[in-house]
Amino acid sequence: MMLPILEIKNLKKSFGSNEVLKGVDFAVYPGEIIGYIGTNGAGKSTTVKMILGLLKPDSGEITIFGKPLIQNETVYKNRIGYVPENADLYETLTAEEYFLFVGQLYGLNESDIQQKSFAMMAAMKIESAFRNRLSTFSKGMRQKVLIISSLLHNPDILFWDEPLNGLDANSVLVIKELLAQLKMEGKTIFYSSHIMDTVEKLSDRILILNNGQIVADGPFNEIRHEAEGTLEDLFNELTGFDEQQQLAQDFVQAMKGEDSDA
Ligand SMILES: Nc1ncnc2c1ncn2[C@@H]1O[C@H](COP(=O)(O)OP(=O)(O)OP(=O)(O)O)[C@@H](O)[C@H]1O
């Protein structure tokens, strides 16, 4: 049987008294597209940051490329592409300068970086801004810059936190197609998104994180069991959400300065 490219065992993390991850377990196999979903604040970004070595787990094991995370530290980063949920771009740099900076961190040479990043920007239809400062980029353009910089060094596994953030409908189609083509290239993709119909259609396997643990793990057809509904229905059911009307009413009452019990 194929060995996992990434394995997480009993991962725990608290911030003060906030127990975010209470024992997370999952394995990812080479070539899989994994959709990692959960409510706001569930701990998705926290999980990814620990896999990337940006945050220290309280306990548990992370094995990546067959080795415990710590031992891997220096080598494995070249094989990973990361799109963070929120990134501070270097506003005063142009896109070209930013890609040169990132690419050189990965040991790429200048002309390769320029050629590749320009072509990738062209594929995303933003090449006319190649020499413009990032401070002038729109939200969607910034997201495209992050996606490009995660792929410049042709990594084996991608961690994309909310890759569709701020992208227009045409660009979402390009990213969906890109994910499918990266999979055909043998890449492994671990991404989180709140856009349920995309996750439903695009993921080989879906992991649902709720209350600090994985409550569903499998292809959509398997985790939906007999149910007829969409991933959105399943997500709402598993994360215990049926109070949208009441919450919206409470919100409007609060806005109007009325007592919610009135
Ligand atoms: N550095 C930190 N210090 C304190 N608390 C933190 C820190 N980072 C994250 N948290 C808390 O951990 C919880 C999980 O946050 P995380 O960003 O992982 O959620 P998420 O699932 O990615 O949410 P979203 O869907 O809103 O992006 C939240 O309650 C958050 O406030």
Side-chain angles (χ1 to χ4, degrees):
M1 198 179 139
M2 202 188 266
L3 290 173
I5 191 166
L6 170 69
E7 199 168 14
I8 309 288
K9 283 195 187 145
N10 205 14
L11 191 68
K12 295 187 182 167
K13 180 73 184 174
S14 296
F15 295 103
S17 60
N18 182 10
E19 252 187 287
V20 177
L21 302 182
K22 300 178 186 169
V24 165
D25 293 275
F26 61 80
V28 176
Y29 292 86
E32 282 187 312
I33 300 185
I34 304 285
Y36 191 40
I37 60 178
T39 53
N40 289 137
K44 301 176 298 293
S45 302
T46 301
T47 312
V48 170
K49 283 181 191 159
M50 291 194 287
I51 297 168
L52 295 171
L54 301 173
L55 200 63
K56 205 172 165 314
D58 295 339
S59 61
E61 285 169 38
I62 300 173
T63 310
I64 189 159
F65 306 119
K67 295 206 183 93
L69 185 65
I70 322 286
Q71 290 176 21
N72 259 315
E73 226 139 33
T74 47
V75 251
Y76 86 115
K77 291 210 168 101
N78 277 339
R79 298 180 61 189
I80 288 181
Y82 176 41
V83 173
E85 184 179 28
N86 299 303
D88 290 325
L89 291 176
Y90 295 86
E91 301 279 327
T92 55
L93 299 184
T94 65
E96 179 184 24
E97 288 163 348
Y98 179 73
F99 292 131
L100 281 171
F101 170 69
V102 173
Q104 281 168 352
L105 290 178
Y106 288 114
L108 305 177
N109 80 47
E110 205 171 309
S111 64
D112 281 353
I113 300 169
Q114 277 166 322
Q115 211 184 346
K116 268 187 164 188
S117 59
F118 185 81
M120 287 161 112
M121 276 183 84
M124 301 261 186
K125 297 196 183 283
I126 55 168
E127 78 281 14
S128 61
F130 191 57
R131 300 220 153 84
N132 296 351
R133 283 182 200 272
L134 295 173
S135 58
T136 66
F137 278 40
S138 72
K139 187 171 176 185
M141 289 165 79
R142 285 160 189 257
Q143 190 63 15
K144 291 175 182 178
V145 166
L146 289 174
I147 290 173
I148 293 170
S149 61
S150 79
L151 288 167
L152 269 180
H153 58 298
N154 195 7
D156 297 323
I157 182 165
L158 298 168
F159 292 94
W160 283 3
D161 206 344
E162 291 291 333
L164 306 176
N165 244 348
L167 296 185
D168 65 60
N170 295 339
S171 304
V172 167
L173 286 181
V174 175
I175 299 300
K176 284 185 185 172
E177 187 57 37
L178 178 62
L179 282 176
Q181 293 199 19
L182 288 170
K183 178 188 162 71
M184 287 196 283
E185 295 288 322
K187 310 291 184 198
T188 308
I189 298 146
F190 188 94
Y191 76 104
S192 66
S193 172
H194 292 297
I195 306 178
M196 292 295 117
D197 65 328
T198 301
V199 177
E200 179 182 324
K201 291 193 192 102
L202 214 67
S203 314
D204 296 319
R205 233 165 77 218
I206 297 169
L207 302 175
I208 304 183
L209 177 66
N210 189 47
N211 207 3
Q213 287 182 314
I214 302 294
V215 294
D217 175 352
F220 178 59
N221 281 334
E222 279 176 26
I223 59 173
R224 78 204 295 204
H225 302 296
E226 306 298 305
E228 285 291 301
T230 60
L231 178 61
E232 187 174 17
D233 297 330
L234 179 72
F235 181 84
N236 290 342
E237 185 193 316
L238 287 176
T239 57
F241 197 73
D242 56 7
E243 41 185 16
Q244 62 275 29
Q245 226 174 5
Q246 184 62 46
L247 291 176
Q249 199 179 328
D250 292 350
F251 188 97
V252 172
Q253 274 175 339
M255 180 188 80
K256 295 200 290 190
E258 290 169 7
D259 188 339
S260 64
D261 294 322

